[in-house]
Amino acid sequence: MATFPLTKRPEVLVALAAMLPSLIGNRSGIGISWDSTDYIAVGLSMAAGRGALDVTGVPMVIRPPGLSALVTVGDWLTVSPDMTLRIVNAVAMFVVVWCTHRLLVRAQVRTVSLWVGVALVALSPALLDISTMAWSEPPFLALLLVALVIATRARTWPWDLVLAIVYIALFFVRYVGPFYAAPIALVAAVVQAHKSGVLLAFFRSATALAVSMVAPWLWLMRNKELSGFLTGYREPGGGTLLDPLRTLTGTLGSWLIARPPLGGNGGIYLNWADFSGYMKLAGLVVWVALIVLSVWFFVAQRDASPRVVVVAACLWVFVFYSSFSVYRFVYNEMGPLDSRMMSGVYVPLIIVFVVTLDRLVQSPRIARVALAVGVLVGAWHATTVVRDSVRYGDSGRHWGTEFHREVPIHTFARELPAAAALYSNEPQSLFAATFRWPIRNQYQYDQPALVDCDRRYFVWFNQSFLPDGKPVGGTIVYEDSWGQVIDLDRCDTDISRFWP
């Protein structure tokens, strides 16, 4: 009987091993942030057949439903959202590392360069950061690398259909999907032109891209009908194009030295001043190295070899998406070009550096120096990954920590009867501790009930982004320094009397 000898496929073993930091870092529960709660809530809502409704029961428009759909499937299979997302992130790391190996093999790099590049991805602190959170970035990055693997080789027409499906998935996982799909579609056309001719290759690629836009267009029209905006209301950052470019530079530097700015708590107001001097200097070094190596590579390598195709594809994705992100920050959305926002270009950048350096380094002496630098950077990143994965696994992250779950007021709310309806001035934070859906805020008291209930309770937090509108006249059934749990009577009584 035939067997599958893993020892003959070391890339599979390495990709399997790359799942471990994520699994270890999530062993106490996956990290949860504000947007994580909506991803999970939408998934549970869709599993119950109620459509894409967020934590508070409002139709979701600000985020796409792709990650939530995986939560839905997990719920149908009686797998908890926490466990579903742990599995998704671990599998995503497997796919990312395997695809990195395939692209480096296609680029015909030497064995040492190949495994240094794979190690830099498998043991990446930046990728550990996103793979220990309930975020859309891990599956998005996996889909992106799959698209690059397909697009950088000549193919038969069914693979263009596969690319179209991947483009659709990219959009429904993250709204920026089309701004990755477009440059990849151009790469796919150029590569295919050598086999099919220019006209047919561009027709096939353009058709795949156009077909992939139908479902996203329908979803955007749904969003516009519900909210008046294609992807929900977003506030532009303003300023000049230099501001996001500087933030991007700091982000590149933070990747190199494996340290996030502000301890990873930058938020939407992250700016150049929040990066340390080391990060700024490292970012400038990355820019100089990237420009010099890229120019030298394309001057020295004048053919259309697979090596050139891979570097050009990865570099084009980086340039296209980065340019779009810089423009978007100023004119459309105040989303800083931080590690999370730019995570899609992380692996393409590593591939560009590995392939160009592999081509540049010819003499044994320079090769030894380059290898030493690569090993030092890799060792530093690996040490950071081991440390962070153990730390994350011990304490959890953000609202996913055991401390957050076991806060007494959260425990009390979690133990309320299953038929109770919950309200709160911090619905997202409470949802992260209870996974009770929906949790309405104080301004939604007059909206119709989404599920049958026997009794209503308001969980009021003293520290809140919504400090006004506290109900009056209810019975306080729990109180501590964090806040109060207020009984708002049976669900068949008039709730408006608590907001006179």
Side-chain angles (χ1 to χ4, degrees):
M1 183 175 64
T3 59
F4 182 69
L6 282 177
T7 54
K8 295 182 180 179
R9 299 294 301 274
E11 71 275 15
V12 176
L13 288 174
V14 173
L16 288 170
M19 300 167 68
L20 291 177
S22 172
L23 293 172
I24 293 170
N26 288 326
R27 71 180 188 276
S28 294
I30 198 163
I32 298 176
S33 63
W34 181 293
D35 47 349
S36 304
T37 62
D38 280 334
Y39 286 131
I40 295 170
V42 168
L44 296 177
S45 172
M46 292 193 299
R50 298 186 179 94
L53 306 181
D54 68 11
V55 168
T56 64
V58 174
M60 174 60 71
V61 296
I62 200 74
R63 300 178 186 91
L67 182 62
S68 301
L70 299 176
V71 174
T72 298
V73 173
D75 191 72
W76 287 340
L77 298 174
T78 68
V79 180
S80 70
D82 174 82
M83 185 56 65
T84 296
L85 293 173
R86 291 196 218 183
I87 295 171
V88 167
N89 286 3
V91 172
M93 278 303 301
F94 175 93
V95 173
V96 167
V97 171
W98 185 86
C99 288
T100 300
H101 179 273
R102 293 307 310 154
L103 288 168
L104 289 174
V105 168
R106 187 166 296 163
Q108 302 169 343
V109 298
R110 286 167 285 188
T111 302
V112 172
S113 299
L114 169 67
W115 291 111
V116 168
V118 170
L120 287 172
V121 173
L123 297 171
S124 163
L127 296 186
L128 176 67
D129 178 62
I130 64 173
S131 65
T132 50
M133 293 293 297
W135 289 342
S136 59
E137 281 76 9
F140 184 87
L141 186 54
L143 289 166
L144 173 64
L145 268 293
V146 168
L148 280 171
V149 168
I150 297 172
T152 52
R153 65 178 177 85
R155 59 208 168 274
T156 55
W157 72 264
W159 284 106
D160 289 306
L161 175 61
V162 174
L163 272 177
I165 294 171
V166 175
Y167 296 157
I168 294 170
L170 284 170
F171 170 85
F172 280 102
V173 174
R174 291 185 68 201
Y175 281 142
V176 295
F179 295 93
Y180 284 94
I184 292 174
L186 179 59
V187 170
V190 172
V191 172
Q192 189 65 27
H194 295 284
K195 178 179 180 181
S196 304
V198 174
L199 290 179
L200 181 57
F202 274 80
F203 174 78
R204 282 171 46 176
S205 189
T207 300
L209 185 62
V211 168
S212 75
M213 292 297 105
V214 175
W217 181 82
L218 292 174
W219 184 262
L220 293 175
M221 292 303 100
R222 171 258 190 195
N223 290 349
K224 189 172 180 62
E225 182 178 352
L226 290 172
S227 69
F229 301 93
L230 295 178
T231 60
Y233 175 75
R234 298 172 189 269
E235 187 74 26
T240 69
L241 298 176
L242 182 61
D243 296 326
L245 267 174
R246 290 192 298 183
T247 304
L248 172 58
T249 300
T251 296
L252 296 177
S254 71
W255 286 346
L256 179 60
I257 68 174
R259 286 284 188 275
L262 302 178
N265 298 306
I268 64 171
Y269 301 107
L270 184 71
N271 58 55
W272 178 243
D274 296 324
F275 293 91
S276 70
Y278 293 113
M279 295 175 189
K280 295 175 181 178
L281 177 60
L284 293 173
V285 169
V286 172
W287 271 120
V288 171
L290 179 63
I291 294 170
V292 170
L293 286 172
S294 299
V295 171
W296 173 88
F297 178 82
F298 287 109
V299 169
Q301 196 85 28
R302 296 177 179 274
D303 57 6
S305 67
R307 180 187 291 115
V308 172
V309 168
V310 170
V311 172
C314 292
L315 197 59
W316 175 227
V317 166
F318 169 75
V319 170
F320 190 95
Y321 179 72
S322 297
S323 301
F324 158 73
S325 297
V326 167
Y327 178 89
R328 177 181 59 171
F329 175 85
V330 175
Y331 297 105
N332 298 109
E333 179 187 3
M334 188 169 53
L337 279 62
D338 60 3
S339 184
R340 184 180 176 189
M341 183 72 74
M342 303 306 296
S343 58
V345 302
Y346 182 87
V347 176
L349 275 182
I350 289 180
I351 292 173
V352 169
F353 277 114
V354 170
V355 178
T356 55
L357 280 170
D358 179 80
R359 177 67 179 83
L360 171 66
V361 175
Q362 298 296 328
S363 74
R365 180 175 298 178
I366 298 177
R368 285 193 292 268
V369 173
L371 176 61
V373 172
V375 169
L376 285 174
V377 172
W380 173 246
H381 284 201
T383 302
T384 304
V385 164
V386 171
R387 182 202 65 196
D388 287 350
S389 63
V390 172
R391 178 162 58 90
Y392 295 158
D394 287 340
S395 59
R397 301 191 64 194
H398 301 289
W399 288 340
T401 62
E402 183 178 357
F403 169 80
H404 185 81
R405 291 193 298 269
E406 300 306 320
V407 166
I409 194 171
H410 292 162
T411 301
F412 186 89
R414 194 163 52 243
E415 292 174 352
L416 289 170
L422 295 188
Y423 293 77
S424 178
N425 59 335
E426 284 292 316
Q428 286 77 17
S429 176
L430 182 61
F431 178 87
T434 63
F435 281 9
R436 294 281 294 268
W437 181 91
I439 302 177
R440 294 283 177 77
N441 63 43
Q442 61 266 48
Y443 309 114
Q444 297 176 296
Y445 67 85
D446 58 346
Q447 294 187 11
L450 293 171
V451 295
D452 294 334
C453 68
D454 294 333
R455 204 165 192 88
R456 301 174 297 237
Y457 295 89
F458 199 107
V459 183
W460 180 268
F461 292 93
N462 295 328
Q463 298 293 324
S464 172
F465 288 105
L466 299 174
D468 302 318
K470 184 177 181 179
V472 296
T475 303
I476 297 175
V477 294
Y478 178 87
E479 183 173 15
D480 64 14
S481 61
W482 279 64
Q484 300 171 335
V485 178
I486 305 168
D487 187 334
L488 299 184
D489 208 350
R490 299 190 314 273
C491 293
D492 58 359
T493 61
D494 180 19
I495 191 175
S496 65
R497 73 182 190 273
F498 298 105
W499 283 272

